[in-house]
Amino acid sequence: MSLNGELQLEEIAKEFGVPVQFQRYWLWAKRQNHTYRPNRILTHLGESQTVGQLKEVSNKVQNTVLKLFLEVELGMELNPLSPPGKSKDDILLFFKLYDPEKEDMRYVGRLFVKGIGKPIEILGKLNEMAGYDPDQEIELYEEIKFEPVVMCDNIDEKTTFQSSQLEDGDIVCFQKFLTAESRQQFRYPDVPSFLEYVHDRLVVHFRSLDTPKEEGFCYEMSRINTYDEVVARVAQQLRLDDPSKIRLTSHNCYSQQPNPQPIKYQGVNLIDMLLHYNQTSDILYYEVLDIPLPELQCLKTLKVAFHDATKDEVVIHTIRLPKQSTVGDVFKNLLKKVELSHPATELRLLEVFNHKIYKIFPTTEKIENINDEYWTLRAEEIPEEEKNLGPHDCLIHVYHFNKEASQSQMQIQNFGEPFLLVIRVNETLAEVKVRVKKKLQVPDEEFAKWKFAFVSLNCLEYLEDLEILSSRLQRRGICHAWEQYLGLEHADGAPKKTHAAHKSLCLEYFIVYSEPPPIVLSPSSTELEIPNIQGDLTASSGIVCLILVPGASVSDMDV
């Protein structure tokens, strides 16, 4: 169908209320800066072309949509008139008016100007369009582009339009002239600062870190806001006097949960806080601290599970110390909070993961090197029997386990609380059993069902009562858990935990270390209790990327 078919033009006339004889169309053009502007008038010859032919003329790249600009001239009573004539030297400009007091910009009209003319010649007309006094001094700006960054340049009113490189379809923004003193009254005193504001503004949804699924409140912010500016707005909403006590955590777009680590305090803008890999979120989580964040970031916070030997219970203690503190300093802090079986009793700190002990920390180790995000830190009393080891005695790791069938083979599944045990020279398994039973306080009937095994690199050998354990464990001092341990095979009396909640989660990656500890799985996206994953990874090293698809669970993965 040709564009000037009577039916189509009449439909446009009905749609826009512009009679056919008063309609004038412009073709759009894409510029080098990737903006689109009305470029040239569609002549009567052009109007006789088909829509398909016009698309080929107006689009250098294939496009299924023909875009035209309908120019309309309105009279005093807003009645359509014939569009003004346009010579080769005329330039079509569009004008926007900015009001810094209202922080508002609106379209006020268009004008044809001569290329050799100067902006100073149309100031009176612009004041009329704005409703200003005829002699009002105004500032002019060209809105060049809006994305990916704002470009808006001042226009010299005494330079010709051609010299300012203005052409058909360009946008000119203007406002009242402001003195340096009067500019201080406004957040965005001029057109460029207002366009930057519009470009950078974002609506951010803030949620409490304690209740991450509940809707909180939202604010209009700027993507260039600093950390301090963001927490100041949050503090205002929470009616908190000290914004420095607010800590922010970003949103994980994959897990739809807060990231496990909070945002670092310094050197980030709002857009950095909202960016998660290649996705931008509009959610931030907040928490109110008991001390200012800059002060907190100079400290290290550890969660230590203290195993109380006197009460047979486990209590989690939060310990906050300067980063240069040592494990010995942790003990000093912990002794203020716990009750020991004897005042002279010494403590030790263990790193536990997946029901195994991977490290016993020396008292001199700096706490800034300790990661308690995925590992459990366990503090316990050192039994008297361990303080005076003989030259042939050793301290072994003892783990609970049972066997599970997996892909036509039996695999060891650890559970429960691991512990350390002294093995004396020439001590038989039968003698060790007596001490284990007493330590764990297991009833006779149940203990009779237990089996004891020597486990090395995930392979086990059952032990006989008369067997000398020290012959199996030749190394002096600490025997590393990933090399060998004494296994206690029995049923897991604790209620089984369901992993149904894991089924729909997307885990981004796990870091797998081949050096000690040999099997350390660290979910980067969220804190989860990971089911035991069996397999010998000691032969290789590096990073293993695992994708958990909807409907799969962590336990479905075959490492």
Side-chain angles (χ1 to χ4, degrees):
M1 183 191 300
S2 64
L3 184 63
N4 66 343
E6 290 296 324
L7 179 61
Q8 191 168 15
L9 292 181
E10 287 297 334
E11 287 181 352
I12 294 175
K14 292 178 182 179
E15 179 72 22
F16 294 101
V18 181
V20 173
Q21 65 270 25
F22 299 142
Q23 298 175 9
R24 182 160 71 183
Y25 296 93
W26 290 68
L27 292 172
W28 292 79
K30 182 180 181 181
R31 298 184 176 177
Q32 290 184 345
N33 62 6
H34 303 290
T35 60
Y36 287 86
R37 299 285 188 267
N39 175 253
R40 61 187 177 90
I41 295 174
L42 189 61
T43 63
H44 291 296
L45 178 60
E47 291 180 0
S48 65
Q49 293 180 302
T50 65
V51 172
Q53 291 171 328
L54 289 174
K55 282 167 51 181
E56 294 178 1
V57 173
S58 62
N59 296 291
K60 293 184 180 180
V61 295
Q62 185 175 2
N63 197 323
T64 58
V65 179
L66 172 64
K67 295 182 179 180
L68 299 174
F69 166 58
L70 173 59
E71 181 189 3
V72 179
E73 182 73 13
L74 298 178
M76 295 296 294
E77 298 182 359
L78 301 181
N79 294 321
L81 302 174
S82 296
K86 181 184 184 303
S87 67
K88 185 178 181 181
D89 296 330
D90 289 337
I91 299 174
L92 172 64
L93 298 178
F94 297 95
F95 292 89
K96 296 180 182 179
L97 174 65
Y98 174 56
D99 184 342
E101 184 175 358
K102 297 180 180 179
E103 294 182 3
D104 174 69
M105 180 178 286
R106 60 187 178 91
Y107 172 72
V108 292
R110 79 195 194 291
L111 289 176
F112 285 96
V113 299
K114 296 294 182 182
I116 58 174
K118 300 178 180 179
I120 195 172
E121 299 168 1
I122 64 169
L123 296 184
K125 183 63 176 176
L126 295 181
N127 280 329
E128 181 183 345
M129 294 168 68
Y132 295 158
D133 294 335
D135 57 351
Q136 172 65 51
E137 190 175 358
I138 59 177
E139 301 174 7
L140 303 177
Y141 300 88
E142 181 191 1
E143 182 185 324
I144 301 172
K145 68 175 184 177
F146 196 71
E147 294 291 352
V149 295
V150 172
M151 288 187 63
C152 184
D153 293 342
N154 184 266
I155 298 175
D156 186 351
E157 62 183 29
K158 296 180 180 180
T159 301
T160 66
F161 292 104
Q162 284 181 344
S163 299
S164 297
Q165 298 184 335
L166 293 171
E167 53 186 289
D168 282 326
D170 278 336
I171 300 171
V172 176
C173 305
F174 66 99
Q175 65 176 93
K176 288 183 179 180
F177 173 79
L178 297 176
T179 63
E181 182 179 354
S182 61
R183 291 172 67 89
Q184 303 300 319
Q185 305 174 25
F186 308 109
R187 288 200 307 168
Y188 311 107
D190 53 32
V191 171
S193 62
F194 176 73
L195 291 179
E196 289 281 2
Y197 154 71
V198 173
H199 177 269
D200 292 335
R201 66 184 174 186
L202 297 167
V203 175
V204 182
H205 298 263
F206 294 93
R207 299 178 183 177
S208 170
L209 188 63
D210 295 330
T211 54
K213 291 297 184 181
E214 295 182 11
E215 291 294 335
F217 55 91
C218 59
Y219 267 127
E220 182 182 279
M221 310 286 294
S222 170
R223 67 177 69 192
I224 62 173
N225 281 147
T226 63
Y227 195 102
D228 288 336
E229 290 171 334
V230 174
V231 296
R233 296 294 296 275
V234 176
Q236 181 182 5
Q237 171 69 25
L238 300 179
R239 298 182 180 180
L240 186 68
D241 294 333
D242 189 356
S244 68
K245 290 185 177 180
I246 293 176
R247 181 165 63 179
L248 301 175
T249 298
S250 57
H251 179 70
N252 188 309
C253 296
Y254 298 107
S255 67
Q256 295 298 310
Q257 294 281 348
N259 277 324
Q261 290 294 332
I263 299 169
K264 291 186 177 180
Y265 170 62
Q266 296 178 335
V268 291
N269 293 329
L270 177 59
I271 191 63
D272 302 317
M273 303 181 211
L274 297 175
L275 192 63
H276 182 248
Y277 294 103
N278 60 342
Q279 297 188 49
T280 301
S281 168
D282 63 352
I283 299 172
L284 284 177
Y285 302 91
Y286 67 88
E287 58 183 316
V288 180
L289 307 171
D290 57 343
I291 62 174
L293 181 57
E295 181 181 338
L296 177 64
Q297 292 198 322
C298 295
L299 304 175
K300 175 78 173 182
T301 302
L302 297 176
K303 291 184 178 180
V304 179
F306 178 68
H307 286 233
D308 193 327
T310 61
K311 301 178 182 178
D312 192 25
E313 65 179 13
V314 179
V315 180
I316 305 296
H317 295 278
T318 299
I319 296 177
R320 184 183 293 160
L321 293 169
K323 292 182 178 180
Q324 294 303 311
S325 301
T326 64
V327 171
D329 296 321
V330 172
F331 292 153
K332 292 178 183 178
N333 186 285
L334 190 60
L335 288 173
K336 300 175 184 178
K337 305 177 179 181
V338 301
E339 182 179 347
L340 302 180
S341 59
H342 189 276
T345 301
E346 297 179 11
L347 298 177
R348 65 181 166 210
L349 187 66
L350 310 176
E351 181 181 77
V352 178
F353 177 76
N354 206 26
H355 313 289
K356 295 181 179 180
I357 299 170
Y358 283 106
K359 185 173 183 178
I360 301 176
F361 292 97
T363 56
T364 56
E365 179 149 352
K366 294 285 197 304
I367 64 172
E368 65 177 338
N369 302 325
I370 299 177
N371 186 343
D372 67 339
E373 183 180 349
Y374 305 114
W375 291 264
T376 298
L377 297 180
R378 188 172 96 189
E380 62 185 20
E381 296 184 9
I382 300 178
E384 284 296 322
E385 66 175 12
E386 296 182 17
K387 293 182 179 180
N388 298 304
L389 293 178
H392 301 291
D393 297 336
C394 63
L395 190 63
I396 67 168
H397 292 224
V398 185
Y399 301 155
H400 304 270
F401 79 94
N402 52 35
K403 294 182 295 184
E404 291 187 356
S406 175
Q407 296 183 350
S408 73
Q409 59 180 338
M410 299 300 293
Q411 290 190 341
I412 294 176
Q413 184 82 15
N414 293 105
F415 63 89
E417 291 289 347
F419 60 94
L420 302 174
L421 187 69
V422 174
I423 299 298
R424 305 295 183 187
V425 63
N426 296 326
E427 190 173 24
T428 65
L429 175 62
E431 293 171 319
V432 172
K433 279 185 176 182
V434 174
R435 292 197 288 122
V436 170
K437 181 177 181 297
K438 180 180 179 181
K439 179 180 179 67
L440 301 181
Q441 299 180 359
V442 184
D444 293 342
E445 183 178 353
E446 181 183 345
F447 193 74
K449 302 176 184 177
W450 287 26
K451 295 181 181 180
F452 285 66
F454 170 71
V455 184
S456 179
L457 296 177
N458 216 36
C459 297
L460 65 87
E461 297 178 48
Y462 289 106
L463 301 172
E464 299 295 335
D465 284 352
L466 298 179
E467 192 158 355
I468 304 298
L469 289 188
S470 59
S471 64
R472 294 291 190 125
L473 306 169
Q474 293 295 326
R475 296 189 59 175
R476 296 182 182 179
I478 301 300
C479 295
H480 297 296
W482 52 89
E483 292 178 349
Q484 53 191 0
Y485 63 86
L486 178 63
L488 312 181
E489 183 182 7
H490 61 94
D492 184 1
K496 287 190 175 290
K497 297 180 181 179
T498 176
H499 300 291
H502 300 162
K503 299 264 183 185
S504 301
L505 294 178
C506 175
L507 302 186
E508 295 167 47
Y509 60 84
F510 293 85
I511 303 177
V512 180
Y513 301 85
S514 64
E515 298 301 325
I519 307 176
V520 178
L521 301 172
S522 307
S524 67
S525 59
T526 184
E527 294 187 71
L528 293 174
E529 179 182 351
I530 306 299
N532 187 25
I533 299 178
Q534 300 293 335
D536 182 7
L537 299 178
T538 57
S540 63
S541 63
I543 296 178
V544 179
C545 296
L546 307 175
I547 304 299
L548 186 59
V549 298
S553 66
V554 181
S555 57
D556 292 330
M557 295 184 293
D558 180 21
V559 179

PDB file of all heavy atoms in Angstrom, residues 204 206 336 386 416 492 502-503 513 535 550:
ATOM      1  N   VAL A 204      15.975   1.972  44.550  1.00  0.00           N
ATOM      2  CA  VAL A 204      16.601   0.854  45.247  1.00  0.00           C
ATOM      3  C   VAL A 204      15.664   0.372  46.357  1.00  0.00           C
ATOM      4  O   VAL A 204      15.123   1.178  47.117  1.00  0.00           O
ATOM      5  CB  VAL A 204      17.956   1.265  45.853  1.00  0.00           C
ATOM      6  CG1 VAL A 204      18.618   0.068  46.527  1.00  0.00           C
ATOM      7  CG2 VAL A 204      18.865   1.827  44.766  1.00  0.00           C
ATOM      8  N   PHE A 206      15.335  -1.574  49.783  1.00  0.00           N
ATOM      9  CA  PHE A 206      16.141  -1.953  50.938  1.00  0.00           C
ATOM     10  C   PHE A 206      15.367  -2.953  51.800  1.00  0.00           C
ATOM     11  O   PHE A 206      14.188  -2.740  52.111  1.00  0.00           O
ATOM     12  CB  PHE A 206      16.500  -0.720  51.775  1.00  0.00           C
ATOM     13  CG  PHE A 206      17.418   0.232  51.058  1.00  0.00           C
ATOM     14  CD1 PHE A 206      16.901   1.296  50.323  1.00  0.00           C
ATOM     15  CD2 PHE A 206      18.793   0.060  51.122  1.00  0.00           C
ATOM     16  CE1 PHE A 206      17.737   2.183  49.663  1.00  0.00           C
ATOM     17  CE2 PHE A 206      19.645   0.944  50.466  1.00  0.00           C
ATOM     18  CZ  PHE A 206      19.120   2.005  49.729  1.00  0.00           C
ATOM     19  N   LYS A 336      36.580 -15.288  79.397  1.00  0.00           N
ATOM     20  CA  LYS A 336      35.715 -14.361  80.115  1.00  0.00           C
ATOM     21  C   LYS A 336      34.241 -14.758  79.991  1.00  0.00           C
ATOM     22  O   LYS A 336      33.394 -14.255  80.729  1.00  0.00           O
ATOM     23  CB  LYS A 336      35.898 -12.947  79.580  1.00  0.00           C
ATOM     24  CG  LYS A 336      37.323 -12.406  79.704  1.00  0.00           C
ATOM     25  CD  LYS A 336      37.446 -11.046  79.035  1.00  0.00           C
ATOM     26  CE  LYS A 336      38.874 -10.538  79.060  1.00  0.00           C
ATOM     27  NZ  LYS A 336      39.019  -9.225  78.362  1.00  0.00           N
ATOM     28  N   GLU A 386      46.377 -35.774  77.280  1.00  0.00           N
ATOM     29  CA  GLU A 386      47.065 -35.353  76.065  1.00  0.00           C
ATOM     30  C   GLU A 386      48.260 -34.438  76.338  1.00  0.00           C
ATOM     31  O   GLU A 386      49.028 -34.140  75.432  1.00  0.00           O
ATOM     32  CB  GLU A 386      46.082 -34.630  75.134  1.00  0.00           C
ATOM     33  CG  GLU A 386      44.953 -35.494  74.631  1.00  0.00           C
ATOM     34  CD  GLU A 386      44.037 -34.722  73.674  1.00  0.00           C
ATOM     35  OE1 GLU A 386      44.481 -33.670  73.188  1.00  0.00           O
ATOM     36  OE2 GLU A 386      42.900 -35.182  73.446  1.00  0.00           O
ATOM     37  N   GLY A 416      28.165 -36.730  62.798  1.00  0.00           N
ATOM     38  CA  GLY A 416      28.429 -36.492  64.212  1.00  0.00           C
ATOM     39  C   GLY A 416      29.653 -35.628  64.476  1.00  0.00           C
ATOM     40  O   GLY A 416      30.241 -35.045  63.569  1.00  0.00           O
ATOM     41  N   ASP A 492      23.502 -43.612  62.620  1.00  0.00           N
ATOM     42  CA  ASP A 492      23.430 -42.195  62.988  1.00  0.00           C
ATOM     43  C   ASP A 492      22.136 -41.967  63.756  1.00  0.00           C
ATOM     44  O   ASP A 492      21.033 -42.040  63.214  1.00  0.00           O
ATOM     45  CB  ASP A 492      23.469 -41.331  61.727  1.00  0.00           C
ATOM     46  CG  ASP A 492      23.498 -39.844  62.048  1.00  0.00           C
ATOM     47  OD1 ASP A 492      23.505 -39.484  63.242  1.00  0.00           O
ATOM     48  OD2 ASP A 492      23.523 -39.042  61.094  1.00  0.00           O
ATOM     49  N   HIS A 502      17.340 -27.476  48.965  1.00  0.00           N
ATOM     50  CA  HIS A 502      18.448 -27.224  48.053  1.00  0.00           C
ATOM     51  C   HIS A 502      18.045 -27.408  46.593  1.00  0.00           C
ATOM     52  O   HIS A 502      18.765 -27.019  45.704  1.00  0.00           O
ATOM     53  CB  HIS A 502      19.608 -28.174  48.335  1.00  0.00           C
ATOM     54  CG  HIS A 502      20.146 -28.026  49.728  1.00  0.00           C
ATOM     55  ND1 HIS A 502      20.918 -29.000  50.308  1.00  0.00           N
ATOM     56  CD2 HIS A 502      20.029 -27.043  50.647  1.00  0.00           C
ATOM     57  CE1 HIS A 502      21.255 -28.619  51.530  1.00  0.00           C
ATOM     58  NE2 HIS A 502      20.713 -27.441  51.758  1.00  0.00           N
ATOM     59  N   LYS A 503      16.896 -28.002  46.367  1.00  0.00           N
ATOM     60  CA  LYS A 503      16.567 -28.486  45.029  1.00  0.00           C
ATOM     61  C   LYS A 503      16.525 -27.367  43.988  1.00  0.00           C
ATOM     62  O   LYS A 503      16.842 -27.591  42.836  1.00  0.00           O
ATOM     63  CB  LYS A 503      15.225 -29.197  45.047  1.00  0.00           C
ATOM     64  CG  LYS A 503      15.199 -30.411  45.960  1.00  0.00           C
ATOM     65  CD  LYS A 503      15.464 -31.672  45.219  1.00  0.00           C
ATOM     66  CE  LYS A 503      15.368 -32.863  46.143  1.00  0.00           C
ATOM     67  NZ  LYS A 503      15.723 -34.103  45.501  1.00  0.00           N
ATOM     68  N   TYR A 513      40.241 -27.662  46.865  1.00  0.00           N
ATOM     69  CA  TYR A 513      41.671 -27.617  47.107  1.00  0.00           C
ATOM     70  C   TYR A 513      42.211 -29.043  47.124  1.00  0.00           C
ATOM     71  O   TYR A 513      41.635 -29.918  47.754  1.00  0.00           O
ATOM     72  CB  TYR A 513      41.970 -26.970  48.458  1.00  0.00           C
ATOM     73  CG  TYR A 513      41.462 -25.568  48.597  1.00  0.00           C
ATOM     74  CD1 TYR A 513      40.153 -25.331  48.996  1.00  0.00           C
ATOM     75  CD2 TYR A 513      42.292 -24.491  48.333  1.00  0.00           C
ATOM     76  CE1 TYR A 513      39.676 -24.034  49.127  1.00  0.00           C
ATOM     77  CE2 TYR A 513      41.824 -23.199  48.466  1.00  0.00           C
ATOM     78  CZ  TYR A 513      40.519 -22.977  48.865  1.00  0.00           C
ATOM     79  OH  TYR A 513      40.058 -21.703  49.001  1.00  0.00           O
ATOM     80  N   GLY A 535      34.625 -38.838  47.296  1.00  0.00           N
ATOM     81  CA  GLY A 535      35.482 -38.904  46.127  1.00  0.00           C
ATOM     82  C   GLY A 535      36.892 -38.517  46.493  1.00  0.00           C
ATOM     83  O   GLY A 535      37.111 -37.714  47.388  1.00  0.00           O
ATOM     84  N   PRO A 550      17.757 -26.553  38.205  1.00  0.00           N
ATOM     85  CA  PRO A 550      16.510 -26.743  38.958  1.00  0.00           C
ATOM     86  C   PRO A 550      16.101 -28.204  38.961  1.00  0.00           C
ATOM     87  O   PRO A 550      16.146 -28.875  37.939  1.00  0.00           O
ATOM     88  CB  PRO A 550      15.504 -25.872  38.190  1.00  0.00           C
ATOM     89  CG  PRO A 550      16.355 -24.831  37.536  1.00  0.00           C
ATOM     90  CD  PRO A 550      17.642 -25.523  37.189  1.00  0.00           C
TER      91      PRO A 550
END
